[in-house]
Amino acid sequence: MAEEKAGKAAGIAPAQGAPRRNQRPLSIKDIARIARVSHPTVSRALQNSPLVNAKTAEKIRKIADESGYRASAVARGLVTRRTRTIGLVVTTVADPFASEVVCGVEQTANDHGYSVFLADSHADPERERKVVRAFAERRVDGILVTSSRVGALYLPMLKEMEVPIVLVNDQHPGAFVHSVMIANFEGMRAVAEHLLGLGHRRIAYLGDQFGYQSDAERLAGYRAALEAAGLSAAPELIAHGNSKPDAAMAAMERLLAARPTAVCCYNDMTALGALRQIRARGLRVPEDFSVTGFDDLFFAEYLQPPLTTVRQPMRRMGQLAMESLLRLMEGEESVPQIRVEAELVVRASTGRVKE
Amino acid sequence: MAEEKAGKAAGIAPAQGAPRRNQRPLSIKDIARIARVSHPTVSRALQNSPLVNAKTAEKIRKIADESGYRASAVARGLVTRRTRTIGLVVTTVADPFASEVVCGVEQTANDHGYSVFLADSHADPERERKVVRAFAERRVDGILVTSSRVGALYLPMLKEMEVPIVLVNDQHPGAFVHSVMIANFEGMRAVAEHLLGLGHRRIAYLGDQFGYQSDAERLAGYRAALEAAGLSAAPELIAHGNSKPDAAMAAMERLLAARPTAVCCYNDMTALGALRQIRARGLRVPEDFSVTGFDDLFFAEYLQPPLTTVRQPMRRMGQLAMESLLRLMEGEESVPQIRVEAELVVRASTGRVKE
DNA sequence: CTCTCGATTGCACACGTGTACGGCCCATTC
DNA sequence: GAATGGGCCGTACACGTGTGCAATCGAGAG
């Protein structure tokens, strides 16, 4: 374990200046005093209201700009009842899929003048309670969830605060919320068909036990492909991990006992573990065994061999989700559910079945 | 106190209709009316102030709890001048290193009642301006930066808002801020020594042109190891990318012309690209060529072969940074700079030099 | 019985911004 | 010359919470 130690900085003087602790930022009233007008006039001028004389408005804006005045979003939020703030929940930012979505969300949020509160739920009920409480107290205008493990009692809590909610890649049966989803069924069916086309007949499925709707749909896509080829998905060819590589290794070990020649993984993280286990068994990829992923995370094309997978436009999905949320926050009624196409990306981790 | 009827003259219950758009959350005054006390008493009761009678305080808390009251952090922030909010800047959340740090930061921030505003700078000056402006308007209590590409004029802008700042893994010469850093020099020296110990003599360095301080320190560590072994770092054995795999591929191609037998990469992302280029040249790792990384990102041990690298406790570093920021925000004067030890992790991507 | 003091509680502000409303000044119109 | 009206600006609130201060009440002390 790494230990930290205090750097022996040259001198005890972190003193960078005067005690500026009580220095408060200047307010609209300070600007008003300088410009010799009342503060409402300043307020209007800064909003480019047509109610103020063009000349004085210009003067006021100049003063505000030169003095480095920054309007308090806090005070404004209090009176307008809109904070221009959203809450973004993820299971963990450390997951590459979530990171990409967060990136897309943050970008479009900022482009529209919204700031985002980030919260990690870690799939921990206690922490989820705190997140909901925090968002409620912060008076966020909307909520966006990318947590794939939203608990049954979690969403209702969110619901309580009477604010629009958008989910990414998760849709509970009877959900009261909007969502942006990937075409799970079609995507997984496409990889399975790809493997069938390469001659594979014993194809395994390695899912995510916490994948809920997503896992169910992908599994269904896998099943559909097999059945269309006149095969049936044998129970011993199906196992579940938790989207972490080490759990995938364990699950893959069980699957190998059933002698498959290929495996469809729930996502790329799972494929990472599967690949390792397969190699540990002395099998070569793709000569002896084929592996597929889902997501097309940044590392997929840099693996050895590069991973055949299904691409999700993750950043774009974050953007779409945020755009839906923006419309909902504007009061629009008919914001549609969004379904994004998945794209099969064939690389070198899949090959013709060995004779 | 006079009992006020909350209902309007029309007397129609607003609880039914779909348009709950104007439904405002209940305030401290609503609770006060129900409890038949004044609102300051409610305020004090909810703060567990000893100034209110234990019985009434209990009653008030019960009412607040049952009615689902949530204190407005917005209003509180306005009057107390402290929002209990921090701004977190990253170059991009989509980078695994940043994600891990963010995770650590968010966790400890929330544990201390702080919410975090996340902002992506994307190393874009225009976007950086907007981030600073947003944080200033939101009246954040502190700022945390994990952007490895902080521009020269970016930090001064941050400085303007008179708020404590903590940097992670970046330290500008003459910096006015606090920071948490990894032992870049020692870490890179350790991997270089490891390669020297395996008999390598022509060892290349593949850096990050935007790594600034970090790159300079790691390069220095590499140099120090070579010189201690009586070697000198030839210029043709040094190249720079930008921490993205494809740029690393291009840089690695140039390096290979100098016929090295091993390469020290600035970080794991760089190693990803280097590995691919090396293989494209028909070289086997580690039989023909050795590769090392830095960071120990989640995928490092799942690469084929598993990557020898230097571990950074990224999440812990985020935690430490947040803890420093907390102390600074509490007004502590003597918060030390923090330096974290790096740990060499030897795996299979490095081997004895080929005869 | 009166005075004093401590325990509670309410009143009146403040925080920084937005906005309905009224008032002033000046030009135009009859 | 007076009435009208529009442009511009200030006054007076409101938003929801925190806090200094005064007021009230009851009990114990003298």
Side-chain angles (χ1 to χ4, degrees), chain A residues 298-339:
Chain A
F298 65 92
F299 59 78
E301 64 172 314
Y302 291 99
L303 291 180
Q304 177 66 8
L307 186 67
T308 292
T309 189
V310 176
R311 177 172 301 156
Q312 290 200 60
M314 300 166 283
R315 210 168 292 200
R316 171 119 186 88
M317 287 167 73
Q319 178 187 342
L320 288 170
M322 186 63 212
E323 284 170 356
S324 285
L325 189 56
L326 283 168
R327 294 169 63 180
L328 287 167
M329 292 188 299
E330 293 306 324
E332 249 180 78
E333 299 287 342
S334 60
V335 177
Q337 305 286 332
I338 295 180
R339 194 164 152 288

Side-chain angles (χ1 to χ4, degrees), chain B residues 31 52 57 61 63 71 85 103 121 123 127 146 159 174-175 199 203 208 219 221-222 235 247 253 307 314 318 333 346:
Chain B
I31 306 299
V52 323
R61 275 187 233 110
I63 292 174
T85 274
C103 190
S121 75
R127 210 164 268 279
T146 317
K159 166 78 171 170
I203 303 173
D208 181 339
L219 179 54
Y222 155 85
E253 183 173 16
L307 187 66
M314 300 167 282
E333 299 287 344
V346 177

Side-chain angles (χ1 to χ4, degrees), chain A residues 1-9 12 14-16 20-21 23-27 65 68-78 81-86 88 92-96 99-100 102-104 106-108 110-122 127 129-139 141 159-160 162-164 244-247 249 269 272-273 275-276 279 297-299 301-304 306 315 328-331, chain B residues 20-21 23-27 65 68-78 81-85 88 92-96 99-100 102-104 106-108 110-122 127 130-134 136-139 141 159-160 162-164 175-178 245-246 249 269 272-273 275-276 279 297-299 301-304 306 313 315-316 320 328-331 333-343:
Chain A
M1 188 64 71
E3 314 162 50
E4 63 275 358
K5 54 184 179 186
K8 53 277 273 183
I12 325 168
Q16 284 119 17
R20 73 297 202 232
R21 213 58 201 170
Q23 173 127 355
R24 64 206 223 175
L26 18 66
S27 77
D65 191 48
Y69 165 77
R70 288 288 130 96
S72 165
V74 179
R76 179 181 297 143
L78 181 58
R81 304 290 224 344
R82 302 207 46 202
T83 55
R84 301 212 134 236
T85 273
I86 70 149
L88 173 54
T92 165
V93 223
D95 174 60
S99 310
E100 290 284 348
V102 169
C103 190
E106 198 276 342
Q107 194 111 335
T108 83
N110 271 25
D111 285 348
H112 289 80
Y114 279 78
S115 292
V116 0
F117 281 118
L118 179 71
D120 252 324
S121 75
H122 287 271
R127 211 164 269 277
R129 294 199 98 79
K130 291 181 71 174
V131 167
V132 176
R133 174 168 208 107
F135 284 174
E137 294 186 347
R138 298 292 178 187
R139 299 289 194 265
D141 293 336
K159 167 77 172 170
E160 267 180 29
E162 308 281 356
V163 143
K244 290 186 182 171
D246 52 354
M249 285 184 68
M269 291 295 275
L272 225 44
L275 271 169
R276 184 167 181 182
R279 287 203 178 99
L297 300 181
F298 65 92
F299 59 78
E301 64 172 314
Y302 291 99
L303 291 180
Q304 177 66 8
R315 210 168 292 200
L328 287 167
M329 292 188 299
E330 293 306 324
Chain B
R20 36 53 156 156
R21 212 61 201 168
Q23 172 127 353
R24 57 161 101 175
L26 17 67
S27 77
D65 191 48
Y69 165 78
R70 289 289 130 97
S72 165
V74 179
R76 179 180 297 144
L78 182 57
R81 307 294 232 335
R82 303 208 45 202
T83 55
R84 300 210 136 241
T85 274
L88 173 54
T92 166
V93 225
D95 174 60
S99 311
E100 289 284 349
V102 169
C103 190
E106 198 277 341
Q107 193 110 336
T108 82
N110 271 24
D111 286 347
H112 289 80
Y114 279 78
S115 291
V116 0
F117 280 117
L118 180 70
D120 253 323
S121 75
H122 288 270
R127 210 164 268 279
K130 292 180 70 172
V131 167
V132 175
R133 174 170 209 106
E137 294 185 347
R138 298 292 178 186
R139 299 290 194 265
D141 293 337
K159 166 78 171 170
E160 266 180 29
E162 309 282 358
V163 143
F176 54 86
V177 291
H178 289 74
D246 51 355
M249 284 184 69
M269 292 295 274
L272 225 43
L275 272 170
R276 186 168 180 181
R279 286 201 179 102
L297 299 181
F298 66 91
F299 59 79
E301 65 172 312
Y302 291 98
L303 291 180
Q304 177 66 9
R315 207 167 294 198
R316 172 116 184 90
L320 289 169
L328 288 166
M329 293 188 298
E330 293 305 323
E333 299 287 344
S334 59
V335 177
Q337 304 286 332
I338 295 179
R339 195 165 150 287
V340 181
E341 296 295 322
E343 179 192 358

Side-chain angles (χ1 to χ4, degrees), chain A residues 195-252:
Chain A
L195 288 170
L196 289 165
L198 290 171
H200 292 274
R201 285 301 172 265
R202 292 192 62 79
I203 303 173
Y205 176 83
L206 209 177
D208 181 340
Q209 56 181 315
F210 300 113
Y212 298 114
Q213 185 89 350
S214 296
D215 183 75
E217 291 180 9
R218 292 181 196 178
L219 179 54
Y222 155 84
R223 281 209 159 96
L226 293 200
E227 284 162 14
L231 301 172
S232 70
E236 68 271 20
L237 284 177
I238 296 175
H240 286 264
N242 61 4
S243 287
K244 290 186 182 171
D246 52 354
M249 285 184 68
M252 193 65 221

Side-chain angles (χ1 to χ4, degrees), chain B residues 34-344:
Chain B
I34 300 174
R36 299 181 179 282
V37 293
S38 68
H39 76 266
T41 300
V42 175
S43 173
R44 285 187 269 254
L46 296 182
Q47 294 177 74
N48 295 321
S49 160
L51 290 179
V52 323
N53 179 285
K55 264 205 336 281
T56 43
E58 186 48 44
K59 184 178 73 176
I60 290 170
R61 275 187 233 110
K62 184 155 173 282
I63 292 174
D65 191 48
E66 289 173 354
S67 63
Y69 165 78
R70 289 289 130 97
S72 165
V74 179
R76 179 180 297 144
L78 182 57
V79 51
T80 64
R81 307 294 232 335
R82 303 208 45 202
T83 55
R84 300 210 136 241
T85 274
I86 69 149
L88 173 54
V89 194
V90 300
T91 307
T92 166
V93 225
D95 174 60
F97 176 83
S99 311
E100 289 284 349
V101 174
V102 169
C103 190
V105 170
E106 198 277 341
Q107 193 110 336
T108 82
N110 271 24
D111 286 347
H112 289 80
Y114 279 78
S115 291
V116 0
F117 280 117
L118 180 70
D120 253 323
S121 75
H122 288 270
D124 170 17
E126 172 59 27
R127 210 164 268 279
E128 287 177 352
R129 295 198 100 78
K130 292 180 70 172
V131 167
V132 175
R133 174 170 209 106
F135 283 173
E137 294 185 347
R138 298 292 178 186
R139 299 290 194 265
V140 298
D141 293 337
I143 292 177
L144 223 145
V145 182
T146 317
S147 170
S148 61
R149 301 188 190 181
V150 272
L153 83 175
Y154 182 37
L155 243 39
M157 282 167 53
L158 250 19
K159 166 78 171 170
E160 266 180 29
M161 68 181 84
E162 309 282 358
V163 143
I165 303 180
V166 175
L167 263 44
V168 175
N169 262 12
D170 201 353
Q171 186 184 42
H172 273 255
F176 54 86
V177 291
H178 289 74
S179 65
V180 172
M181 304 205 32
I182 191 76
N184 286 309
F185 181 89
E186 293 80 358
M188 190 57 83
R189 187 177 59 185
V191 267
E193 285 171 349
H194 165 66
L195 289 171
L196 288 164
L198 290 171
H200 293 274
R201 285 301 172 266
R202 291 192 64 77
I203 303 173
Y205 176 83
L206 209 178
D208 181 339
Q209 55 181 316
F210 300 114
Y212 299 114
Q213 184 90 349
S214 295
D215 183 75
E217 291 180 9
R218 292 181 196 178
L219 179 54
Y222 155 85
R223 281 208 158 97
L226 292 200
E227 283 162 14
L231 303 172
S232 70
E236 69 271 20
L237 284 178
I238 296 175
H240 286 264
N242 62 4
S243 286
K244 290 184 182 171
D246 51 355
M249 284 184 69
M252 193 65 220
E253 183 173 16
R254 295 196 298 278
L255 285 177
L256 285 174
R259 300 281 162 198
T261 63
V263 61
C264 293
C265 294
Y266 173 76
N267 60 14
D268 292 352
M269 292 295 274
T270 300
L272 225 43
L275 272 170
R276 186 168 180 181
Q277 182 64 265
I278 289 162
R279 286 201 179 102
R281 291 310 169 114
L283 297 169
R284 293 165 305 164
V285 178
E287 294 83 353
D288 304 325
F289 205 96
S290 289
V291 177
T292 67
F294 204 109
D295 285 351
D296 194 25
L297 299 181
F298 66 91
F299 59 79
E301 65 172 312
Y302 291 98
L303 291 180
Q304 177 66 9
L307 187 66
T308 292
T309 188
V310 176
R311 176 172 302 156
Q312 290 200 60
M314 300 167 282
R315 207 167 294 198
R316 172 116 184 90
M317 288 166 73
Q319 179 187 342
L320 289 169
M322 187 63 213
E323 284 170 357
S324 285
L325 189 55
L326 283 168
R327 294 170 62 181
L328 288 166
M329 293 188 298
E330 293 305 323
E332 248 182 78
E333 299 287 344
S334 59
V335 177
Q337 304 286 332
I338 295 179
R339 195 165 150 287
V340 181
E341 296 295 322
E343 179 192 358
L344 176 64

